[in-house]
Amino acid sequence: MLAYGFAQRALVGGVLVAMVCSLISFFVVVRRLAFVGMGISHAAFGGVAIGLAAGIDPVVSAGGFCAAVALGIGWFSRRGRIHEDTVIGILFATAMALGVVLVRLAGAYNLDLMSYLFGSILALSWSDVAVIAVLSALSAAFILLFFKELLFISFDEETATASGLPVRFVYYGLLVTMALTIVISIKLVGIILVSALLVVPGAAGTQLSRNYRGVLVIALLVGVASVVLGLYLSFLWDVASGAAIVLVLFAFFLVSMALSPRRAYMQRLRRRAR
Amino acid sequence: MRECRVGEFFTGPTDGPRQVIILEDMWASLDGHSVLEGITFSLAEGTFLGIIGPNGAGKTTLIRVILGLVKPDRGVVRVMGLSPEELKHELHHIGYMPQQVLFDPLFPVSVYDVVMMGRTCCIGTFRFPRRADRDAVMRSIDAVGLTGLEKRPIGELSGGQQKRAFLARALCLETRILLLDEPTSGLDYEAQENFMGLLARLKAEQGLSVTFVSHDVNVLARFADEIVCINRTMHLHGKPLDVLGSERLKDVYRCEFDFLAGVGTHMDSKE
């Protein structure tokens, strides 16, 4: 299948996206940002619609719009007057409604929109891959450069603040990084399914390891393997690639749960082996 | 590793013990509500200061003012001779332990990782821990008696061991001042005794200045050199025996203390 150019592009783009998503999924799981991810990704629909209506590249408009929504979620929830999940519930429905209205007004209700909802990785061009590569590099750089700060803040924000860390900058940085990652993931699995990529690798990792180093390695393996296997299966059975990737992710999660050292029968097995 | 330069910060008269924390007529508010009014006290180097007061008295806010996290409305705050603005660059001399670290017990970090977090500001942005950082972490873990447990996930430790890990995290910098916000809350009697014994030993060994917030009068009566009693305003400041023997303590707490042989015993509270 790699003889085809579209398959090569899909594989390169998919693996890049999987790697960044897996890195971020660690913080999504330990900081419990799964619903934030859902909110930002659904808001991307509004961003895409703005792009389609205004005639600019939907990736650019969605990137800007998602970053704005992410910052909005962060700002409202940090002020502490409204709960984070309430803010997300309000913002993501509003952004999607805005998307529906704009698409109708612009007369752009077409197949293009469906590809944003469910992904269109097989339609990637090399310039799309380049955009993915640049944004992936930016997101990964943020996570890696601020890793110890992110870890400290996720574990114990109060002490992190007291020791003089730039807590607000790092928190908003993580949200914007999530927004950018979501925008590039939309090409891969689509708005509806992107939260799986942001949650499952980290969730599988925390099932199998009790230290963040192990969690990160497992998350990366699960993320990349799911994308590669999902793409292969979608090619083999001629099914939607985004859906295939998500189903493979879920299969990996089930396996990680079954093999988790936290399970009682795994503890019995280990004891017997000793 | 950054040099400890505490001595350079102090200015003024050098005779007598140096004051590591000075508050003069300090007023602070949260969300427009006045929380602390006219707080004045100082902490001499190497002293164990207990801050007592009922719930909602502003004890935690006081700690946050000292750390520079809450800006006072008026008054003077000096820590190691530095203003809160200047202190921002010298926070590695202050070890802080919050009231309750509400962490996820499944959070995938080991004791070693948690203590290393304390050194984050020393390591610096974009840098990895170096040998000096790793050594400092292991020394702190050893000092609190958790050697051998450093690779254990933090969630698997007992409550008392977790508190000791957080104390190690507060100690692994070039710590001169410890700010502890009810560090023994949630511990049973034995774990509390162990923790206080450890703290007293570390204070003596390392010459630390300790500010210890608590509403447990028993503990402070035995370990503190001085006690400040606050309930929005400052009510009492003095040696434990004087403060705990004072009639005014009853007014502050609205309850009785059975004062016997230097130990205050909490009697039934009268709301």
Side-chain angles (χ1 to χ4, degrees), chain A residues 26 30 32 81 145-146 148-149 151-152 154-156 158-159 161-165 210-213 215 262, chain B residues 64 67 69 91 96 98 101 103-105 107-108 110 113 117 120-121 123-127 156 166 169:
Chain A
F26 171 75
V30 299
R32 305 189 183 178
R81 307 265 153 97
L145 288 176
F146 289 99
K148 63 181 185 309
E149 285 82 2
L151 191 70
F152 194 177
S154 305
F155 180 73
D156 177 2
E158 195 182 346
T159 311
T161 312
S163 62
L165 294 191
R210 299 226 50 191
N211 194 274
Y212 70 89
R213 299 169 187 85
V215 174
R262 288 182 216 155
Chain B
R64 294 174 69 86
L67 280 166
L69 299 177
L91 281 168
Y96 170 60
V101 181
F103 69 95
D104 174 4
F107 201 99
S110 66
D113 299 328
M117 287 175 191
T120 306
C121 66
I123 298 167
T125 319
F126 308 153
R127 285 173 190 276
E156 281 182 11
F166 294 131
R169 183 178 67 180

Side-chain angles (χ1 to χ4, degrees), chain B residues 32-85:
Chain B
H33 297 285
S34 181
V35 181
L36 292 166
E37 297 173 354
I39 306 289
T40 300
F41 71 83
S42 58
L43 173 67
E45 197 169 20
T47 311
F48 190 131
L49 175 75
I51 298 177
I52 58 169
N55 290 337
K59 304 188 292 289
T60 299
T61 307
L62 182 58
I63 292 277
R64 294 174 69 86
V65 168
I66 296 170
L67 280 166
L69 299 177
V70 172
K71 215 174 157 216
D73 297 334
R74 62 182 165 109
V76 175
V77 178
R78 288 283 177 278
V79 178
M80 303 186 300
L82 303 169
S83 71
E85 274 301 311

Side-chain angles (χ1 to χ4, degrees), chain A residues 55-135:
Chain A
I56 44 177
D57 186 348
V59 172
V60 175
S61 61
F65 193 69
C66 283
V69 168
L71 291 173
I73 291 170
W75 189 74
F76 274 115
S77 64
R78 280 195 86 81
R79 280 173 61 100
R81 307 265 153 97
I82 316 177
H83 289 298
E84 192 170 72
D85 51 351
T86 310
V87 178
I88 296 164
I90 294 167
L91 285 184
F92 100 73
T94 310
M96 284 202 87
L98 179 74
V100 172
V101 170
L102 280 178
V103 162
R104 186 78 192 89
L105 289 179
Y109 207 91
N110 53 22
L111 262 181
D112 213 22
L113 202 63
M114 290 305 280
S115 78
Y116 287 103
L117 285 176
F118 294 103
S120 58
I121 190 152
L122 299 180
L124 282 188
S125 65
W126 278 116
S127 65
D128 289 334
V129 174
V131 170
I132 288 177
V134 170
L135 288 179

Side-chain angles (χ1 to χ4, degrees), chain B residues 60-267:
Chain B
T60 299
T61 307
L62 182 58
I63 292 277
R64 294 174 69 86
V65 168
I66 296 170
L67 280 166
L69 299 177
V70 172
K71 215 174 157 216
D73 297 334
R74 62 182 165 109
V76 175
V77 178
R78 288 283 177 278
V79 178
M80 303 186 300
L82 303 169
S83 71
E85 274 301 311
E86 296 165 320
L87 186 68
K88 274 184 190 154
H89 308 287
E90 306 297 340
L91 281 168
H92 54 286
H93 296 304
I94 299 184
Y96 170 60
M97 203 173 142
Q99 199 162 6
Q100 283 260 296
V101 181
L102 292 172
F103 69 95
D104 174 4
L106 294 177
F107 201 99
V109 283
S110 66
V111 173
Y112 176 89
D113 299 328
V114 169
V115 179
M116 186 61 93
M117 287 175 191
R119 286 196 70 84
T120 306
C121 66
C122 264
I123 298 167
T125 319
F126 308 153
R127 285 173 190 276
F128 286 105
R130 278 153 290 180
R131 178 162 203 108
D133 300 303
R134 293 194 288 271
D135 290 346
V137 167
M138 290 313 286
R139 270 200 308 277
S140 296
I141 290 175
D142 187 46
V144 299
L146 288 179
T147 307
L149 295 177
E150 62 269 9
K151 289 193 178 144
R152 281 275 199 92
I154 186 79
E156 281 182 11
L157 264 55
S158 71
Q161 288 170 332
Q162 284 175 7
K163 298 274 184 186
R164 281 194 274 159
F166 294 131
L167 182 62
R169 183 178 67 180
L171 283 172
C172 74
L173 300 140
E174 291 98 66
T175 311
R176 307 305 308 155
I177 304 174
L178 274 181
L179 295 176
L180 310 174
D181 193 354
E182 307 213 14
T184 54
S185 67
L187 293 186
D188 62 26
Y189 181 73
E190 195 191 343
Q192 183 177 311
E193 284 298 296
N194 286 339
F195 185 89
M196 292 309 296
L198 172 70
L199 187 61
R201 185 169 59 76
L202 290 171
K203 172 191 167 267
E205 280 173 11
Q206 305 188 10
L208 300 167
S209 313
V210 180
T211 302
F212 190 111
V213 169
S214 179
H215 51 227
D216 190 336
V217 180
N218 284 304
V219 172
L220 289 183
R222 282 168 41 224
F223 290 94
D225 302 313
E226 283 175 37
I227 285 184
V228 169
C229 178
I230 60 167
N231 191 2
R232 192 185 310 179
T233 59
M234 227 172 74
H235 288 268
L236 298 158
H237 180 196
K239 300 280 171 209
L241 300 189
D242 304 333
V243 171
L244 300 178
S246 164
E247 277 294 307
R248 282 181 62 196
L249 196 61
K250 279 189 213 168
D251 303 333
V252 178
Y253 260 83
R254 290 191 221 92
C255 66
E256 299 278 343
F257 289 97
D258 179 15
F259 190 67
L260 188 69
V263 177
T265 314
H266 211 157
M267 303 292 278

